[in-house]
Amino acid sequence: GNSGFIVTGAVGLGYVGGLEALWLPISWFIGDLVYWKIFPAKLNANARKFSAVTLSEYLSAGLTGVWVKRLSVLMGCVLVLLLIVYTSAQWLAGRKFLSSIYEFSDVTALLFFSGTIIAYSAIGGFRGSIYVDTTQAVIRLIGTVLALGLAVYMVLENTTDWQSHIAMAGDGFLNPFTMGSLWIYLAFIGGFAAAAIGFGLGQPQIVSRYFACSSPEEVAQSKWIYIGFLQFTWLSMTLFGVLLRGLMPDLGDPEEGLGIFFKHHFGAIVAGIIFADVYATIAATSNSVLVATAQIIKRDIMSPLFGLDKQKSQTSYFWVLVIGVFSILVSFVSTQSVFSAALGAVSLVGAAIAAPMIIKTFSFTHNAKSLTATLMVGFTGGLLWQQVGLNQIFNEAGIGILCGLVTNYL
Protein backbone atom coordinates (compact mmCIF):
# COMPACT_ATOMS: atom_id res chain seq x y z
CA GLY A 1 0.00 0.00 0.00
CA ASN A 2 3.03 2.29 0.22
CA SER A 3 4.84 3.86 -2.73
CA GLY A 4 7.07 6.73 -3.78
CA PHE A 5 4.04 8.89 -3.10
CA ILE A 6 4.67 8.56 0.65
CA VAL A 7 8.20 9.99 0.54
CA THR A 8 7.50 12.69 -2.06
CA GLY A 9 3.81 13.42 -2.62
CA ALA A 10 2.74 13.21 1.03
CA VAL A 11 5.64 15.46 2.07
CA GLY A 12 4.74 17.95 -0.65
CA LEU A 13 1.06 17.96 0.35
CA GLY A 14 1.92 18.70 3.96
CA TYR A 15 4.38 21.40 2.92
CA VAL A 16 1.87 23.18 0.67
CA GLY A 17 -1.48 22.40 2.29
CA GLY A 18 -0.66 22.38 5.99
CA LEU A 19 -2.70 20.37 8.46
CA GLU A 20 -5.62 20.22 6.05
CA ALA A 21 -3.58 17.68 4.03
CA LEU A 22 -4.25 15.18 6.84
CA TRP A 23 -7.83 14.80 5.60
CA LEU A 24 -6.57 12.69 2.70
CA PRO A 25 -5.15 9.81 4.81
CA ILE A 26 -8.05 10.15 7.26
CA SER A 27 -10.55 9.74 4.40
CA TRP A 28 -8.55 6.78 3.11
CA PHE A 29 -8.63 5.25 6.59
CA ILE A 30 -12.43 5.38 6.63
CA GLY A 31 -12.54 3.71 3.23
CA ASP A 32 -10.10 1.04 4.37
CA LEU A 33 -12.25 0.25 7.42
CA VAL A 34 -15.26 -0.32 5.15
CA TYR A 35 -13.16 -2.32 2.69
CA TRP A 36 -11.64 -4.65 5.29
CA LYS A 37 -15.02 -5.23 6.89
CA ILE A 38 -16.40 -6.57 3.61
CA PHE A 39 -13.88 -7.75 1.03
CA PRO A 40 -10.44 -9.31 1.75
CA ALA A 41 -11.61 -12.59 3.32
CA LYS A 42 -14.26 -12.99 0.59
CA LEU A 43 -11.66 -12.31 -2.10
CA ASN A 44 -9.45 -15.08 -0.74
CA ALA A 45 -12.29 -17.58 -0.42
CA ASN A 46 -13.57 -16.87 -3.93
CA ALA A 47 -10.09 -16.92 -5.47
CA ARG A 48 -9.53 -20.38 -4.02
CA LYS A 49 -12.89 -21.55 -5.31
CA PHE A 50 -12.23 -20.05 -8.76
CA SER A 51 -8.52 -21.10 -8.89
CA ALA A 52 -7.83 -17.49 -9.83
CA VAL A 53 -4.38 -15.88 -9.84
CA THR A 54 -5.24 -12.59 -11.56
CA LEU A 55 -8.19 -10.21 -11.44
CA SER A 56 -9.35 -11.24 -14.92
CA GLU A 57 -9.36 -14.90 -13.95
CA TYR A 58 -11.39 -13.96 -10.89
CA LEU A 59 -13.99 -12.10 -12.95
CA SER A 60 -14.14 -14.71 -15.71
CA ALA A 61 -14.73 -17.69 -13.40
CA GLY A 62 -17.87 -19.63 -14.33
CA LEU A 63 -18.59 -17.51 -17.42
CA THR A 64 -18.74 -18.77 -21.01
CA GLY A 65 -18.87 -17.38 -24.52
CA VAL A 66 -16.79 -15.09 -26.70
CA TRP A 67 -17.20 -12.17 -24.27
CA VAL A 68 -15.05 -13.94 -21.67
CA LYS A 69 -11.98 -13.48 -23.87
CA ARG A 70 -12.95 -9.88 -24.59
CA LEU A 71 -13.42 -9.16 -20.89
CA SER A 72 -10.01 -10.65 -20.04
CA VAL A 73 -8.14 -8.78 -22.76
CA LEU A 74 -9.89 -5.46 -22.16
CA MET A 75 -9.35 -5.60 -18.42
CA GLY A 76 -5.73 -6.59 -18.93
CA CYS A 77 -5.10 -3.69 -21.32
CA VAL A 78 -6.72 -1.14 -18.97
CA LEU A 79 -4.66 -2.36 -16.03
CA VAL A 80 -1.39 -2.46 -17.97
CA LEU A 81 -1.91 1.07 -19.28
CA LEU A 82 -2.72 2.57 -15.88
CA LEU A 83 -0.08 0.58 -14.00
CA ILE A 84 2.59 1.81 -16.41
CA VAL A 85 1.57 5.36 -15.48
CA TYR A 86 1.61 4.42 -11.78
CA THR A 87 5.07 2.87 -12.13
CA SER A 88 6.33 5.95 -13.96
CA ALA A 89 5.31 7.98 -10.90
CA GLN A 90 7.61 5.77 -8.81
CA TRP A 91 10.55 6.47 -11.12
CA LEU A 92 9.75 10.18 -10.93
CA ALA A 93 9.83 9.99 -7.13
CA GLY A 94 13.20 8.25 -7.21
CA ARG A 95 14.59 10.74 -9.68
CA LYS A 96 13.52 13.67 -7.52
CA PHE A 97 15.16 12.19 -4.45
CA LEU A 98 18.48 11.32 -6.09
CA SER A 99 18.65 14.65 -7.89
CA SER A 100 17.97 16.60 -4.70
CA ILE A 101 20.31 14.81 -2.32
CA TYR A 102 23.19 13.62 -4.52
CA GLU A 103 22.93 16.12 -7.41
CA PHE A 104 22.67 13.42 -10.06
CA SER A 105 21.36 14.60 -13.42
CA ASP A 106 17.70 13.79 -14.02
CA VAL A 107 18.59 11.14 -16.60
CA THR A 108 21.22 9.44 -14.43
CA ALA A 109 18.97 9.44 -11.38
CA LEU A 110 16.02 8.05 -13.31
CA LEU A 111 18.02 5.28 -14.98
CA PHE A 112 19.78 4.27 -11.76
CA PHE A 113 16.57 3.98 -9.76
CA SER A 114 14.52 2.27 -12.43
CA GLY A 115 17.26 0.06 -13.86
CA THR A 116 18.24 -1.60 -10.58
CA ILE A 117 14.63 -2.24 -9.54
CA ILE A 118 13.61 -3.60 -12.95
CA ALA A 119 16.60 -5.96 -12.90
CA TYR A 120 15.83 -7.59 -9.56
CA SER A 121 12.08 -7.67 -10.32
CA ALA A 122 12.74 -9.72 -13.45
CA ILE A 123 14.83 -12.18 -11.44
CA GLY A 124 12.79 -12.60 -8.25
CA GLY A 125 9.21 -13.13 -9.42
CA PHE A 126 6.25 -13.16 -7.02
CA ARG A 127 7.95 -15.04 -4.17
CA GLY A 128 10.95 -12.72 -4.31
CA SER A 129 8.58 -9.76 -4.26
CA ILE A 130 7.02 -10.95 -1.00
CA TYR A 131 10.36 -11.41 0.78
CA VAL A 132 11.75 -8.10 -0.45
CA ASP A 133 8.55 -6.19 0.48
CA THR A 134 8.76 -7.47 4.04
CA THR A 135 12.35 -6.30 4.45
CA GLN A 136 11.64 -2.95 2.83
CA ALA A 137 8.64 -2.35 5.11
CA VAL A 138 10.92 -2.56 8.15
CA ILE A 139 13.33 -0.07 6.55
CA ARG A 140 10.38 2.24 5.82
CA LEU A 141 9.33 2.23 9.48
CA ILE A 142 12.87 3.12 10.57
CA GLY A 143 13.08 5.93 8.02
CA THR A 144 9.70 7.33 9.03
CA VAL A 145 10.60 7.49 12.72
CA LEU A 146 13.99 9.02 11.90
CA ALA A 147 12.60 11.70 9.59
CA LEU A 148 9.73 12.82 11.82
CA GLY A 149 11.80 12.60 15.00
CA LEU A 150 14.63 14.75 13.63
CA ALA A 151 12.17 17.30 12.24
CA VAL A 152 10.46 17.62 15.63
CA TYR A 153 13.86 17.95 17.32
CA MET A 154 14.88 20.79 15.02
CA VAL A 155 11.58 22.60 15.55
CA LEU A 156 12.01 22.41 19.32
CA GLU A 157 15.59 23.65 18.99
CA ASN A 158 14.51 26.82 17.20
CA THR A 159 10.82 27.37 17.86
CA THR A 160 10.86 31.14 17.27
CA ASP A 161 12.18 30.94 13.69
CA TRP A 162 9.85 28.06 12.91
CA GLN A 163 6.80 29.98 14.11
CA SER A 164 7.75 33.05 12.08
CA HIS A 165 8.17 30.96 8.91
CA ILE A 166 4.85 29.21 9.50
CA ALA A 167 3.17 32.60 9.94
CA MET A 168 4.40 33.50 6.45
CA ALA A 169 2.58 30.44 5.08
CA GLY A 170 -0.78 32.00 5.93
CA ASP A 171 -3.31 32.05 8.74
CA GLY A 172 -4.94 28.79 7.71
CA PHE A 173 -1.79 26.68 7.40
CA LEU A 174 -2.17 25.08 10.83
CA ASN A 175 -5.98 25.06 10.67
CA PRO A 176 -7.39 21.72 9.43
CA PHE A 177 -10.85 23.21 8.83
CA THR A 178 -10.51 25.72 6.00
CA MET A 179 -12.07 23.82 3.06
CA GLY A 180 -15.52 25.31 3.53
CA SER A 181 -18.92 23.89 4.37
CA LEU A 182 -19.75 20.51 5.86
CA TRP A 183 -20.90 19.31 2.44
CA ILE A 184 -17.46 19.94 0.98
CA TYR A 185 -15.87 17.86 3.72
CA LEU A 186 -18.40 15.06 3.25
CA ALA A 187 -17.78 15.02 -0.51
CA PHE A 188 -14.01 15.00 -0.01
CA ILE A 189 -14.11 12.22 2.59
CA GLY A 190 -16.63 10.17 0.62
CA GLY A 191 -14.67 10.49 -2.61
CA PHE A 192 -11.36 9.40 -1.15
CA ALA A 193 -12.98 6.67 0.93
CA ALA A 194 -14.34 5.33 -2.36
CA ALA A 195 -10.82 5.63 -3.83
CA ALA A 196 -9.49 3.50 -0.96
CA ILE A 197 -12.08 0.82 -1.68
CA GLY A 198 -11.27 1.01 -5.39
CA PHE A 199 -7.57 0.70 -4.58
CA GLY A 200 -8.16 -2.42 -2.52
CA LEU A 201 -10.27 -4.05 -5.24
CA GLY A 202 -8.43 -2.91 -8.35
CA GLN A 203 -4.69 -2.90 -7.65
CA PRO A 204 -3.36 -6.33 -8.69
CA GLN A 205 -0.21 -6.01 -6.55
CA ILE A 206 -2.55 -5.70 -3.53
CA VAL A 207 -5.26 -8.18 -4.50
CA SER A 208 -2.69 -10.86 -5.41
CA ARG A 209 -1.64 -10.86 -1.74
CA TYR A 210 -5.20 -11.59 -0.63
CA PHE A 211 -5.46 -14.36 -3.23
CA ALA A 212 -2.16 -15.89 -2.05
CA CYS A 213 -2.97 -16.17 1.67
CA SER A 214 -3.50 -19.66 3.03
CA SER A 215 -7.06 -18.99 4.25
CA PRO A 216 -9.67 -16.22 4.69
CA GLU A 217 -8.79 -16.22 8.39
CA GLU A 218 -5.15 -15.43 7.63
CA VAL A 219 -6.22 -12.52 5.42
CA ALA A 220 -8.37 -11.12 8.24
CA GLN A 221 -5.43 -11.28 10.66
CA SER A 222 -3.41 -8.92 8.47
CA LYS A 223 -5.97 -6.09 8.71
CA TRP A 224 -4.26 -3.92 11.31
CA ILE A 225 -0.78 -4.65 10.01
CA TYR A 226 -1.84 -3.20 6.68
CA ILE A 227 -3.93 -0.29 7.93
CA GLY A 228 -1.52 0.56 10.75
CA PHE A 229 1.53 0.57 8.50
CA LEU A 230 -0.17 2.65 5.80
CA GLN A 231 -1.62 5.24 8.17
CA PHE A 232 1.50 5.58 10.32
CA THR A 233 3.77 6.27 7.37
CA TRP A 234 1.27 8.49 5.52
CA LEU A 235 0.32 10.66 8.50
CA SER A 236 3.95 10.90 9.65
CA MET A 237 5.31 12.02 6.28
CA THR A 238 2.48 14.54 5.86
CA LEU A 239 3.29 15.98 9.30
CA PHE A 240 6.97 16.00 8.32
CA GLY A 241 6.01 18.18 5.34
CA VAL A 242 4.08 20.54 7.64
CA LEU A 243 7.08 20.90 9.97
CA LEU A 244 9.45 21.29 7.03
CA ARG A 245 7.54 24.37 5.85
CA GLY A 246 8.74 26.19 8.97
CA LEU A 247 12.26 24.76 8.83
CA MET A 248 12.94 25.35 5.11
CA PRO A 249 10.30 27.77 3.83
CA ASP A 250 11.71 28.41 0.33
CA LEU A 251 11.82 25.00 -1.33
CA GLY A 252 11.36 25.11 -5.09
CA ASP A 253 9.81 21.64 -5.29
CA PRO A 254 8.28 20.50 -1.98
CA GLU A 255 8.21 16.89 -3.22
CA GLU A 256 12.02 16.94 -2.98
CA GLY A 257 11.83 18.15 0.62
CA LEU A 258 12.84 14.92 2.35
CA GLY A 259 16.12 14.62 0.47
CA ILE A 260 16.99 18.32 0.71
CA PHE A 261 16.29 18.36 4.45
CA PHE A 262 18.74 15.54 5.19
CA LYS A 263 21.36 16.79 2.78
CA HIS A 264 21.28 20.27 4.28
CA HIS A 265 21.14 19.43 7.98
CA PHE A 266 22.84 16.05 8.46
CA GLY A 267 25.94 14.12 7.46
CA ALA A 268 26.44 11.46 4.85
CA ILE A 269 25.64 8.52 7.13
CA VAL A 270 22.18 9.79 8.11
CA ALA A 271 21.50 10.86 4.54
CA GLY A 272 22.51 7.37 3.43
CA ILE A 273 20.01 5.78 5.81
CA ILE A 274 17.26 7.98 4.37
CA PHE A 275 18.36 7.07 0.85
CA ALA A 276 18.01 3.39 1.78
CA ASP A 277 14.54 4.15 3.13
CA VAL A 278 13.41 6.01 0.02
CA TYR A 279 14.89 3.41 -2.30
CA ALA A 280 13.20 0.61 -0.35
CA THR A 281 9.84 2.37 -0.36
CA ILE A 282 9.86 3.01 -4.10
CA ALA A 283 11.38 -0.37 -4.93
CA ALA A 284 8.76 -2.28 -2.94
CA THR A 285 5.82 -0.83 -4.85
CA SER A 286 7.56 -0.79 -8.25
CA ASN A 287 8.69 -4.39 -7.89
CA SER A 288 5.21 -5.56 -6.89
CA VAL A 289 3.54 -3.66 -9.73
CA LEU A 290 6.03 -4.91 -12.33
CA VAL A 291 5.57 -8.54 -11.29
CA ALA A 292 1.76 -8.21 -11.18
CA THR A 293 1.64 -6.47 -14.56
CA ALA A 294 3.81 -9.16 -16.13
CA GLN A 295 1.33 -11.76 -14.84
CA ILE A 296 -1.54 -9.80 -16.38
CA ILE A 297 0.11 -9.62 -19.81
CA LYS A 298 1.03 -13.31 -19.78
CA ARG A 299 -2.17 -14.76 -18.34
CA ASP A 300 -4.91 -12.27 -19.29
CA ILE A 301 -3.80 -10.88 -22.66
CA MET A 302 -1.32 -13.18 -24.40
CA SER A 303 -2.91 -16.46 -23.30
CA PRO A 304 -6.48 -15.66 -24.50
CA LEU A 305 -5.28 -14.02 -27.74
CA PHE A 306 -2.64 -16.54 -28.78
CA GLY A 307 -3.40 -19.63 -26.71
CA LEU A 308 -0.11 -19.49 -24.81
CA ASP A 309 0.50 -21.62 -21.72
CA LYS A 310 -0.22 -19.57 -18.59
CA GLN A 311 2.15 -21.66 -16.49
CA LYS A 312 5.35 -20.90 -18.42
CA SER A 313 7.07 -18.50 -16.03
CA GLN A 314 10.05 -17.63 -18.23
CA THR A 315 7.97 -15.16 -20.23
CA SER A 316 7.53 -13.05 -17.08
CA TYR A 317 11.16 -11.92 -17.18
CA PHE A 318 10.69 -10.52 -20.66
CA TRP A 319 7.46 -8.69 -19.80
CA VAL A 320 8.93 -7.15 -16.65
CA LEU A 321 11.67 -5.64 -18.81
CA VAL A 322 9.20 -4.42 -21.45
CA ILE A 323 6.91 -2.80 -18.87
CA GLY A 324 9.91 -1.26 -17.15
CA VAL A 325 11.19 0.33 -20.35
CA PHE A 326 7.77 1.77 -21.25
CA SER A 327 7.28 3.18 -17.75
CA ILE A 328 10.71 4.84 -17.94
CA LEU A 329 9.75 6.49 -21.23
CA VAL A 330 6.49 7.75 -19.71
CA SER A 331 8.36 9.24 -16.74
CA PHE A 332 10.73 11.05 -19.11
CA VAL A 333 7.90 12.89 -20.85
CA SER A 334 5.60 13.35 -17.83
CA THR A 335 5.03 16.86 -16.54
CA GLN A 336 2.91 15.78 -13.57
CA SER A 337 3.88 15.73 -9.93
CA VAL A 338 4.30 12.37 -8.20
CA PHE A 339 1.05 13.05 -6.32
CA SER A 340 -0.98 13.78 -9.46
CA ALA A 341 0.39 10.89 -11.51
CA ALA A 342 0.05 8.29 -8.75
CA LEU A 343 -3.37 9.35 -7.48
CA GLY A 344 -4.77 9.79 -10.99
CA ALA A 345 -3.74 6.28 -12.05
CA VAL A 346 -4.91 4.69 -8.79
CA SER A 347 -8.29 6.43 -8.97
CA LEU A 348 -8.94 5.36 -12.57
CA VAL A 349 -8.06 1.75 -11.76
CA GLY A 350 -10.67 1.90 -9.00
CA ALA A 351 -13.19 3.52 -11.35
CA ALA A 352 -12.79 0.75 -13.91
CA ILE A 353 -12.20 -2.40 -11.86
CA ALA A 354 -13.94 -1.99 -8.49
CA ALA A 355 -17.53 -2.32 -9.73
CA PRO A 356 -16.93 -5.61 -11.61
CA MET A 357 -15.07 -6.96 -8.56
CA ILE A 358 -17.98 -6.01 -6.26
CA ILE A 359 -20.46 -7.68 -8.62
CA LYS A 360 -18.43 -10.89 -8.78
CA THR A 361 -17.64 -11.01 -5.06
CA PHE A 362 -21.30 -10.74 -4.06
CA SER A 363 -22.56 -12.87 -6.97
CA PHE A 364 -24.86 -10.17 -8.33
CA THR A 365 -26.55 -11.23 -11.56
CA HIS A 366 -24.03 -10.81 -14.37
CA ASN A 367 -22.46 -12.29 -17.47
CA ALA A 368 -19.25 -11.62 -19.37
CA LYS A 369 -20.89 -9.01 -21.58
CA SER A 370 -22.37 -7.05 -18.65
CA LEU A 371 -19.02 -7.07 -16.80
CA THR A 372 -17.25 -5.84 -19.93
CA ALA A 373 -19.75 -3.00 -20.26
CA THR A 374 -19.42 -2.26 -16.54
CA LEU A 375 -15.65 -1.95 -16.86
CA MET A 376 -15.85 0.29 -19.95
CA VAL A 377 -18.49 2.61 -18.55
CA GLY A 378 -16.77 2.86 -15.16
CA PHE A 379 -13.44 3.73 -16.74
CA THR A 380 -15.00 6.24 -19.17
CA GLY A 381 -17.10 7.88 -16.46
CA GLY A 382 -14.11 8.22 -14.14
CA LEU A 383 -11.90 9.57 -16.94
CA LEU A 384 -14.45 12.20 -18.01
CA TRP A 385 -15.02 13.21 -14.39
CA GLN A 386 -11.26 13.59 -14.00
CA GLN A 387 -10.78 15.55 -17.22
CA VAL A 388 -13.40 18.18 -16.41
CA GLY A 389 -11.86 18.71 -12.98
CA LEU A 390 -14.78 17.51 -10.89
CA ASN A 391 -12.45 15.08 -9.11
CA GLN A 392 -11.39 18.08 -7.03
CA ILE A 393 -14.84 17.86 -5.43
CA PHE A 394 -15.43 14.09 -5.42
CA ASN A 395 -12.85 11.49 -6.43
CA GLU A 396 -13.39 9.82 -9.81
CA ALA A 397 -13.16 6.32 -8.33
CA GLY A 398 -16.51 6.81 -6.61
CA ILE A 399 -18.12 8.01 -9.85
CA GLY A 400 -16.72 5.06 -11.80
CA ILE A 401 -17.97 2.57 -9.22
CA LEU A 402 -21.47 4.09 -9.29
CA CYS A 403 -21.58 4.16 -13.09
CA GLY A 404 -20.35 0.59 -13.29
CA LEU A 405 -22.89 -0.81 -10.84
CA VAL A 406 -25.76 0.94 -12.61
CA THR A 407 -24.52 -0.36 -15.97
CA ASN A 408 -24.46 -3.98 -14.81
CA TYR A 409 -27.92 -3.62 -13.27
CA LEU A 410 -29.35 -2.20 -16.49
Side-chain angles (χ1 to χ4, degrees), residues 38-235:
I38 300 173
F39 291 105
K42 283 187 172 65
L43 291 174
N44 178 269
N46 285 343
R48 291 181 166 278
K49 182 171 67 176
F50 301 156
S51 297
V53 173
T54 66
L55 292 171
S56 290
E57 291 172 357
Y58 185 90
L59 291 181
S60 301
L63 304 180
T64 58
V66 67
W67 280 93
V68 173
K69 180 188 292 187
R70 294 170 183 172
L71 171 63
S72 177
V73 173
L74 176 64
M75 184 170 183
C77 290
V78 168
L79 281 172
V80 169
L81 173 66
L82 293 175
L83 290 175
I84 285 176
V85 175
Y86 186 53
T87 306
S88 73
Q90 309 310 309
W91 307 149
L92 179 60
R95 189 211 77 192
K96 286 189 174 190
F97 184 81
L98 273 185
S99 299
S100 64
I101 194 169
Y102 291 116
E103 298 182 2
F104 284 14
S105 69
D106 286 350
V107 173
T108 302
L110 184 62
L111 293 179
F112 174 83
F113 239 95
S114 58
T116 53
I117 295 169
I118 290 168
Y120 90 75
S121 299
I123 295 168
F126 182 76
R127 185 178 295 274
S129 176
I130 297 293
Y131 291 141
V132 170
D133 279 356
T134 304
T135 305
Q136 289 165 333
V138 175
I139 298 173
R140 174 83 279 261
L141 291 173
I142 295 170
T144 300
V145 172
L146 184 63
L148 186 60
L150 290 175
V152 170
Y153 171 78
M154 291 194 64
V155 170
L156 295 176
E157 282 286 288
N158 202 342
T159 306
T160 303
D161 283 352
W162 185 83
Q163 289 176 335
S164 65
H165 292 153
I166 288 296
M168 293 167 57
D171 293 338
F173 188 78
L174 295 181
N175 182 358
F177 301 102
T178 62
M179 277 197 285
S181 69
L182 176 62
W183 293 109
I184 293 176
Y185 280 96
L186 291 176
F188 183 91
I189 293 170
F192 280 106
I197 295 171
F199 182 85
L201 289 170
Q203 293 290 316
Q205 76 276 14
I206 298 292
V207 180
S208 62
R209 267 64 176 168
Y210 305 138
F211 287 0
C213 282
S214 62
S215 67
E217 291 74 25
E218 185 181 58
V219 179
Q221 289 170 358
S222 67
K223 173 182 177 180
W224 289 111
I225 297 174
Y226 177 87
I227 294 179
F229 178 83
L230 189 69
Q231 286 294 319
F232 173 70
T233 54
W234 195 343
L235 290 168

